Amino acid sequence: MKTNSLDSLKTWAKSVRSDSEFRITILACAGTSCLSSESDLIIEMLQAKIDEHNLNGEVNLKKVGCLRFCGEGPIMFIEPDNITYVRVAIKDVDDIFTKHILEGTTITRLLYTSKKNELIESYENMNFFKKQFRIALRNVGDIDPRNIDEYVAQDGYKALGMSLLEKTPDEVIKIVKESGLRGRGGGGFPTGLKWAYTAAVKSDEKYVICNADEGDPGAFMDRSIIEGDPHSLIEAMTIAGYAIGANQGYIYIRAEYAISLEPLNIALNQAKEHGLLGENIFGTDFSFDIGIKLGAGAFVCGEETALIRSMEGHRGEPDKKPPYPSESGFRGKPTSVNNVETFVNVPAIILNGAEWFASFGTERSKGTKVFALAGNVKNIGLVEVPMGTTLREIIFDIGGGHPENKTIKAVQIGGPSGGVITEEYFDTPIDYDSLTAIGAMMGSGGLIVMDEDSDMVEIAKFYLDFTQDESCGKCTPCRIGTKRMFEILERLTNMEGEPADLERLETLGYNIKNTSLCGLGQTAPNPVLSTMKFFKEEYEAYAYRTKRTSYAIEGKKCIGCTKCARVCPVNCITGKVREIHTIDESACIACGACYDACPTQAILKP
Amino acid sequence: MRKEILDISQLDKSLLHELDAYIDSLKGDKQEQLIHVLHRAQELFGHLPYNVQLYVAHALKLSGAKVNGVVTFYSFFNEEPTGKYTISVCMGTACFVKGADKVLERILKLTKTKKNEMSEDGLFTIKDVRCIGACGLAPIVTVNDKVYGKVKVNEVDGILEKYRGDHHEN
Ligand SMILES: Cc1cc2nc3c(=O)[nH]c(=O)nc-3n(C[C@H](O)[C@H](O)[C@H](O)COP(=O)(O)O)c2cc1C
Ligand code: SF4
Ligand code: SF4
Ligand code: SF4
Ligand code: FES
């Protein structure tokens, strides 16, 4: 059935049976993290029980995208009871069915325990969710991504209908401009302006490209959106096509995300069946199709010119800009490249108006930003907050601070292109310009919390290892320079360095930044330069070789419980029961297993 | 540069047919879809030996050098065969912060391999991968499709033994 007016869309939306018409609705997370803990099996087993008891008319079990609290997964939200279960396992399925679904009793052992040791029944009362506000993730976790009806019931495709039937392309661009939406892929370029540039170029063919490469090795926001709410992306890209005058879109998605393709392909087909994608959308003379292009594991392909090369079947090496893709992009035609999260904001902006969107955030950064919060923090998962929220709020209110109340010394933001932000700047409001002002950057949304035990030199080395490996090799400073920097860092951490290495690192770093062709090289030294700026003493401990490299036991805290000796993989801990243990420092491989095992925190990190 | 002489005598003909069928099914400019073709070829053959690359080159009317250039550029493509079990250690930042590097080191040591090389017994290929989106369970190790979360260094021995055991039973 083709949809050709806003009225027919409305009728369709009304005909969808809503969750509240069921006696009980269970939103069961099938996001990546929860799937890794067998949530798909859990859902299957629960569904089998519901089938067996013929309860499908009253019990609505929905397999949804990421419910955001990944660190406590697998997660289930149960409505209207307003109960949230965390860390659900296969062995809990019987109880959930019999005790909760049939008898209506809450299973307390599956409730979340706060840091203060309180049991919390509903996600609404968890600090992790309280300060969050969703625009980009508005449907993720609420709807079944494989069912277009549910998306339509949430006003899905209404923004597309409003655009095609009631607005000119220029009017659409004007709204996006006025909303203040800026690119969420890292650069922060105003989206409306990018669309206007691409619209202004005359050409028989133009392209809309969605950058779903998500290259930051600590981020999974875009993936969660594609898996949890694929129709929002399809709708937004189609609106973009209408606005700039393109009839073809492509989603460039990294190869590792191949399983995200299943819900996306289903969604594309459903949209076509209903005349919301393909020929004559909404019965108008506007046609638009979306294809999928797979990446093959190259970080630099997240850079838009490299991405375009890769889509054309070549090695993904960046090109000089200008010309910008808006003039000459895919197949040499005008192309607008936008990030997944950028796109999915658009339907919400069209539906609610530019002013509504601009009412969130700060002076020059509007709306919200999604972060993937991880590392040494109690609450791990996806966090969407209005721009202007402070890092302190994210780390301590939403994130719950350190799981064992150790000191948090920094967060890493912006992945391999970014840097660290230290405690003294935790009150900085998060927006593009404030972050740039303190020498950091927004990046695409990776936010990694690091505690007092984190070794900043090792962290910097980790990122350099990544970038030197990912450098496409087109320009020498980046190809050779990042290798040299990595070698120096290796020398340092192997205790073979010297004080002059610190100067070499800095000089090299600035040279690479200033002479590289693309953003990869221009930002690759950032993790080193920024940790050197704030944690010079850690570099010096390596350079002057004063740093201990193995673990050690603090005698007065050791109670001789033998736990450490039992977990050590190389058996280098000796000691009798109830006597002080010692580590043979020459044999220790610094794996940290003893550190985790010790009940009295007697083990010292290097 | 090696001479580009295609020799399909060692390749499984039915797999080549499947690859042909895939290439035939592609719409539009086929050369542009080289990367998709290579994905399909790697799915079929497990890796991309030189003759498979040349076969693809012929089919798409590209030079062997061009195809090899693309294969070597992208880390997802393997020119060498892989072990029965691919062990991927997530080296995303969150996993790194929780000690994934130590886990990787231990696995490499126990299997006596280097990254991306097959172990001598043909059982394991060890890779490091970027964030797989399960940071809540960091550090993560996957063996083929099975995911192990919150892996500790001293658990690695047990995980490897399990696969060695499974292998011997077969
Ligand atoms: C090395 C490098 C990697 C990048 N990786 C990504 C990425 O993974 N995802 C993304 O959306 N943008 C990435 N970008 C930014 C893109 O080049 C481009 O600016 C962006 O896709 C534009 O979309 P936006 O304006 O909606 O942010 C990267 C840039 C560089 C220099
Ligand atoms: S800066 Fe690095 S990644 Fe970018 S084009 Fe040059 S070599 Fe390639
Ligand atoms: S860090 Fe690892 S190797 Fe070193 S003593 Fe502790 S358990 Fe043993
Ligand atoms: S685990 Fe801690 S307390 Fe127990 S023997 Fe080892 S160092 Fe001592
Ligand atoms: S994947 Fe289930 S909460 Fe994120």
Side-chain angles (χ1 to χ4, degrees):
Chain A
M1 186 208 62
K2 305 271 179 196
T3 308
N4 52 20
S5 69
L6 284 171
D7 277 340
S8 62
L9 192 69
K10 199 168 167 185
T11 315
W12 178 6
K14 277 199 178 141
S15 72
V16 181
R17 185 171 176 192
S18 80
D19 291 349
S20 60
E21 291 168 54
F22 289 87
R23 178 174 70 79
I24 191 166
T25 293
I26 301 168
L27 304 178
C29 183
T32 319
S33 197
C34 291
L35 282 181
S36 309
S37 310
E38 304 185 302
S39 72
D40 46 348
L41 255 168
I42 296 171
I43 297 168
E44 239 171 70
M45 289 167 67
L46 198 54
Q47 185 59 51
K49 293 217 171 265
I50 296 168
D51 292 344
E52 203 181 298
H53 288 75
N54 279 323
L55 290 176
N56 281 300
E58 52 178 295
V59 180
N60 178 24
L61 174 62
K62 295 208 295 190
K63 197 170 166 179
V64 297
C66 178
L67 286 166
R68 288 176 283 154
F69 209 175
C70 311
E72 297 289 323
I75 308 262
M76 280 182 189
F77 287 2
I78 304 187
E79 307 296 346
D81 312 18
N82 207 9
I83 296 291
T84 301
Y85 288 142
V86 302
R87 298 177 189 251
V88 177
I90 288 175
K91 64 174 173 34
D92 300 317
V93 170
D94 279 348
D95 275 358
I96 293 176
F97 184 75
T98 315
K99 296 223 172 97
H100 197 128
I101 297 181
L102 292 184
E103 295 166 13
T105 45
T106 302
I107 305 160
T108 41
R109 71 162 192 282
L110 295 177
L111 295 175
Y112 170 74
T113 318
S114 77
K115 223 173 159 181
K116 291 186 199 135
N117 261 328
E118 302 155 326
L119 285 183
I120 301 186
E121 287 198 345
S122 162
Y123 73 94
E124 286 170 3
N125 298 323
M126 297 176 195
N127 289 334
F128 179 74
F129 290 97
K130 274 189 201 159
K131 285 199 173 175
Q132 294 207 40
F133 180 78
R134 291 187 293 162
I135 297 177
L137 300 177
R138 61 193 175 279
N139 295 321
V140 178
D142 293 357
I143 63 171
D144 174 356
R146 290 170 184 77
N147 183 351
I148 190 172
D149 292 349
E150 296 216 345
Y151 181 65
V152 167
Q154 302 299 320
D155 280 339
Y157 290 106
K158 190 172 164 194
L160 176 63
M162 288 164 65
S163 303
L164 296 187
L165 301 167
E166 297 171 351
K167 296 182 192 351
T168 65
D170 283 346
E171 283 168 348
V172 172
I173 292 178
K174 187 158 170 272
I175 296 173
V176 177
K177 264 190 193 165
E178 284 172 359
S179 74
L181 175 64
R182 293 170 67 174
R184 304 294 195 239
F189 193 83
T191 307
L193 207 56
K194 192 183 278 185
W195 290 12
Y197 287 153
T198 322
V201 185
K202 293 236 170 346
S203 173
D204 51 337
E205 268 176 64
K206 295 184 186 180
Y207 297 99
V208 171
I209 292 178
C210 171
N211 188 342
D213 194 52
E214 191 147 71
D216 175 350
F220 54 99
M221 304 80 51
D222 293 347
R223 172 181 204 156
S224 303
I225 293 172
I226 294 179
E227 287 178 357
D229 189 18
H231 283 289
S232 279
L233 180 59
I234 297 170
E235 181 178 7
M237 287 178 70
T238 313
I239 294 172
Y242 175 69
I244 68 167
N247 301 109
Q248 180 66 46
Y250 289 101
I251 300 172
Y252 183 90
I253 191 163
R254 54 190 285 207
E256 292 87 341
Y257 286 5
I259 54 166
S260 315
L261 291 177
E262 191 239 358
L264 183 61
N265 278 323
I266 295 176
L268 287 168
N269 286 332
Q270 290 174 340
K272 275 184 204 162
E273 275 165 32
H274 290 279
L276 302 167
L277 185 69
E279 302 284 316
N280 304 105
I281 300 174
F282 269 101
T284 66
D285 54 14
F286 176 66
S287 301
F288 188 78
D289 204 356
I290 295 178
I292 291 172
K293 293 270 183 184
L294 271 187
F299 172 64
V300 71
C301 288
E303 195 280 333
E304 54 192 13
T305 61
L307 180 148
I308 289 169
R309 300 283 298 155
S310 178
M311 281 181 49
E312 292 167 343
H314 307 294
R315 296 162 66 95
E317 287 169 357
D319 279 327
K320 269 201 293 291
K321 291 190 274 193
Y324 288 92
S326 52
E327 270 168 73
S328 170
F330 185 52
R331 298 175 180 153
K333 305 290 182 186
T335 302
S336 179
V337 182
N338 290 105
N339 165 265
V340 177
E341 187 186 334
T342 313
F343 271 122
V344 296
N345 278 295
V346 170
I349 291 171
I350 305 277
L351 277 177
N352 302 297
E355 254 173 62
W356 166 83
F357 187 79
S359 70
F360 304 102
T362 62
E363 182 65 33
R364 299 190 51 229
S365 304
K366 300 301 186 189
T368 58
K369 179 76 194 89
V370 184
F371 292 98
L373 182 65
N376 304 126
V377 64
K378 177 165 193 314
N379 302 332
I380 289 173
L382 281 185
V383 171
E384 181 169 357
V385 286
M387 297 271 190
T389 306
T390 66
L391 275 170
R392 194 178 299 282
E393 289 172 282
I394 296 184
I395 304 166
F396 292 97
D397 298 345
I398 296 173
H402 194 280
E404 292 131 39
N405 288 323
K406 288 187 184 172
T407 309
I408 289 173
K409 73 177 174 191
V411 293
Q412 213 283 347
I413 187 167
S417 309
V420 288
I421 299 176
T422 49
E423 223 273 337
E424 57 198 296
Y425 297 103
F426 282 179
D427 292 311
T428 312
I430 294 191
D431 69 18
Y432 294 98
D433 311 296
S434 317
L435 288 174
T436 312
I438 58 168
M441 67 181 302
M442 176 80 82
S444 60
L447 204 59
I448 311 282
V449 179
M450 287 172 296
D451 67 13
E452 50 186 293
D453 295 330
S454 307
D455 181 331
M456 303 314 263
V457 186
E458 287 283 354
I459 302 271
K461 190 176 99 182
F462 162 78
Y463 281 115
L464 249 287
D465 187 17
F466 178 82
T467 39
Q468 61 98 17
D469 192 39
E470 294 292 343
S471 163
C472 81
K474 188 167 175 171
C475 43
T476 324
C478 169
R479 182 182 70 238
I480 313 269
T482 54
K483 269 212 169 56
R484 287 294 106 77
M485 283 185 84
F486 176 70
E487 284 161 13
I488 297 176
L489 288 166
E490 265 211 319
R491 201 151 74 213
L492 285 171
T493 52
N494 287 337
M495 292 293 205
E496 290 157 2
E498 55 184 31
D501 281 338
L502 302 186
E503 226 167 283
R504 287 187 194 115
L505 270 181
E506 234 163 359
T507 321
L508 253 174
Y510 285 109
N511 281 340
I512 297 170
K513 272 174 81 81
N514 293 331
T515 52
S516 292
L517 172 67
C518 86
L520 190 151
Q522 288 159 8
T523 58
N526 287 354
V528 178
L529 296 174
S530 117
T531 46
M532 278 185 90
K533 181 168 157 200
F534 293 108
F535 300 98
K536 191 73 177 232
E537 66 291 351
E538 295 191 24
Y539 280 85
E540 282 167 354
Y542 279 117
Y544 292 93
R545 306 191 200 175
T546 52
K547 193 178 166 77
R548 196 161 34 81
T549 52
S550 60
Y551 281 66
I553 292 173
E554 197 179 338
K556 61 178 191 297
K557 280 196 187 165
C558 174
I559 54 169
C561 70
T562 76
K563 286 203 170 108
C564 57
R566 276 182 272 149
V567 296
C568 177
V570 293
N571 295 321
C572 71
I573 308 182
T574 47
K576 296 208 178 82
V577 186
R578 276 185 231 102
E579 285 176 18
I580 295 175
H581 282 51
T582 46
I583 292 176
D584 174 358
E585 296 188 9
S586 62
C588 168
I589 58 167
C591 69
C594 55
Y595 180 89
D596 293 332
C598 178
T600 63
Q601 266 112 45
I603 312 248
L604 301 167
K605 280 207 176 180
Chain B
M1 196 61 224
R2 256 197 275 182
K3 270 221 182 112
E4 297 186 355
I5 298 170
L6 177 60
D7 172 10
I8 57 168
S9 58
Q10 303 295 315
L11 298 176
D12 183 328
K13 301 293 171 302
S14 65
L15 296 181
L16 286 178
H17 278 303
E18 272 190 62
L19 186 58
D20 286 337
Y22 176 76
I23 294 173
D24 283 341
S25 75
L26 294 173
K27 295 188 200 83
D29 181 345
K30 295 194 193 221
Q31 294 184 345
E32 195 183 271
Q33 298 172 69
L34 170 61
I35 291 172
H36 281 223
V37 175
L38 291 172
H39 272 297
R40 184 74 191 120
Q42 182 159 299
E43 261 170 45
L44 290 168
F45 291 92
H47 66 293
L48 295 171
Y50 187 70
N51 278 312
V52 170
Q53 294 181 36
L54 268 190
Y55 189 83
V56 169
H58 279 251
L60 298 180
K61 301 191 178 61
L62 291 164
S63 73
K66 158 85 196 187
V67 172
N68 185 251
V70 168
V71 169
T72 50
F73 184 84
Y74 295 97
S75 63
F76 204 78
F77 297 133
N78 302 313
E79 291 190 280
E80 300 301 323
T82 52
K84 180 169 177 202
Y85 302 108
T86 299
I87 304 184
S88 305
V89 182
C90 181
M91 274 290 181
T93 322
C95 287
F96 178 80
V97 170
K98 300 232 167 137
D101 52 333
K102 304 284 193 281
V103 173
L104 176 63
E105 222 172 82
R106 185 77 187 151
I107 295 178
L108 290 175
K109 183 143 186 240
L110 288 175
T111 53
K112 300 195 189 70
T113 47
K114 296 207 180 83
K115 264 192 315 196
N116 302 320
E117 278 176 18
M118 186 169 68
S119 63
E120 222 161 73
D121 53 11
L123 272 186
F124 301 111
T125 299
I126 289 91
K127 296 189 150 198
D128 57 349
V129 295
R130 312 301 181 198
C131 187
I132 64 164
C135 303
L137 301 172
I140 304 232
V141 173
T142 65
V143 182
N144 293 350
D145 289 334
K146 166 91 184 136
V147 181
Y148 295 88
K150 304 195 174 157
V151 176
K152 300 214 169 76
V153 174
N154 56 332
E155 293 168 359
V156 169
D157 303 54
I159 295 176
L160 290 177
E161 268 324 303
K162 185 179 168 320
Y163 290 93
R164 291 204 171 105
D166 281 1
H167 178 70
H168 288 305
E169 276 158 32
N170 294 334

